[in-house]
Amino acid sequence: MSFIDSVFFDFDGVLIDSKPAMEVSWRSVQKEFNIKNSFLEYQKYIGLPFKNILMKLKINVELIPSISDHYFLKTSQNKKLIKLNPHSYEILSWLNSKKFNTAIVTSKDQIRTYELVELFNLNLDLVVTPELTKRGKPFSDPIIYANKILKTDNEKTLFVGDMKSDMMCAKNSKCKYLHYMNGYGSNELISYGGLIYSLYEIKEYLLNY
């Protein structure tokens, strides 16, 4: 049995709760661009790159750059609405103390991700955003990229996510997976990996692996 030396996290819904900021930003997009798709429709696709979400919602392709700029601006302006999820800081501190490789593997863009990593003073070895790989979740590319940079193997990696796209990313890369049930995708059908209800359960999982 292989050991685990790396723990990767999805960002939105797992380490942070950014849904309030997302909702405010999306409502601003609706008003500015006369978009009819509700936030309930939007949040079904959280976990995919923003451009992919807009395409899923059948938004006019010509509007995508302008909508993206507006949405990201509003999200940054409302970052005070974003909070750390319970035990995020504690589990990262424990992983770092035990010399695990740690990374964020997210569909959030690079600028906003680094802005929030700095805001919350999160100590990680690597941050992987959509700009760094040809394909994002649910493809395996982000995890494979992270393992390449950190010089470790997929089979020695645990990925913690909360959406079906996270589960599929882990499955496609053949790494271990834990689905955080207090994230955004608690109703997702999970057919790969295990379930946790607290991020602190990651410690128990690793100690008993």
Side-chain angles (χ1 to χ4, degrees):
M1 180 183 291
S2 64
F3 62 92
I4 293 174
D5 65 7
S6 304
V7 182
F8 301 164
F9 295 87
D10 175 47
F11 202 24
D12 293 291
V14 177
L15 291 179
I16 62 172
D17 179 11
S18 54
K19 192 180 286 187
M22 289 183 192
E23 184 167 4
V24 169
S25 301
W26 185 250
R27 291 190 186 282
S28 181
V29 165
Q30 287 182 286
K31 183 177 180 180
E32 183 73 17
F33 296 92
N34 194 29
I35 300 297
K36 303 301 181 185
N37 306 82
S38 68
F39 184 69
L40 284 176
E41 294 176 80
Y42 174 91
Q43 69 181 12
K44 293 176 185 177
Y45 303 108
I46 292 174
L48 297 177
F50 187 71
K51 179 180 178 181
N52 293 33
I53 294 177
L54 297 183
M55 293 175 69
K56 289 280 189 182
L57 295 174
K58 297 181 170 36
I59 302 295
N60 186 333
V61 174
E62 294 180 357
L63 291 177
I64 288 179
S66 298
I67 289 177
S68 298
D69 289 343
H70 183 88
Y71 179 87
F72 295 152
L73 174 63
K74 291 299 179 182
T75 301
S76 292
Q77 290 175 345
N78 289 285
K79 63 184 178 183
K80 64 181 181 297
L81 298 175
I82 300 173
K83 307 295 182 185
L84 278 178
N85 274 334
H87 305 302
S88 292
Y89 194 82
E90 291 92 332
I91 194 62
L92 283 174
S93 297
W94 182 81
L95 291 169
N96 289 327
S97 73
K98 298 301 180 182
K99 308 303 182 185
F100 284 91
N101 299 310
T102 56
I104 285 174
V105 177
T106 180
S107 296
K108 186 185 288 294
D109 68 282
Q110 192 173 67
I111 293 175
R112 290 185 303 144
T113 299
Y114 276 102
E115 184 178 36
L116 292 171
V117 167
E118 183 178 345
L119 174 68
F120 293 117
N121 193 29
L122 300 179
N123 184 15
L124 297 125
D125 297 308
L126 182 66
V127 175
V128 180
T129 59
E131 294 88 346
L132 297 175
T133 59
K134 184 177 180 180
R135 302 177 300 181
K137 305 173 196 174
F139 295 100
S140 61
D141 302 31
I143 288 178
I144 291 173
Y145 176 87
N147 281 316
K148 181 179 179 180
I149 297 299
L150 294 171
K151 296 182 171 61
T152 187
D153 301 320
N154 295 357
E155 65 179 15
K156 296 179 181 178
T157 298
L158 169 66
F159 183 43
V160 183
D162 69 323
M163 300 296 291
K164 186 176 181 180
S165 57
D166 296 319
M167 181 200 73
M168 292 306 300
C169 183
K171 184 176 182 179
N172 288 333
S173 66
K174 298 181 173 60
C175 72
K176 311 299 184 294
Y177 180 67
L178 289 176
H179 191 82
Y180 179 52
M181 292 298 289
N182 284 321
Y184 300 155
S186 60
N187 295 322
E188 302 277 20
L189 178 62
I190 302 305
S191 57
Y192 179 80
L195 306 177
I196 58 172
Y197 293 84
S198 166
L199 295 180
Y200 218 72
E201 291 178 58
I202 297 167
K203 178 178 179 180
E204 181 180 355
Y205 176 88
L206 292 170
L207 291 175
N208 289 287
Y209 183 76

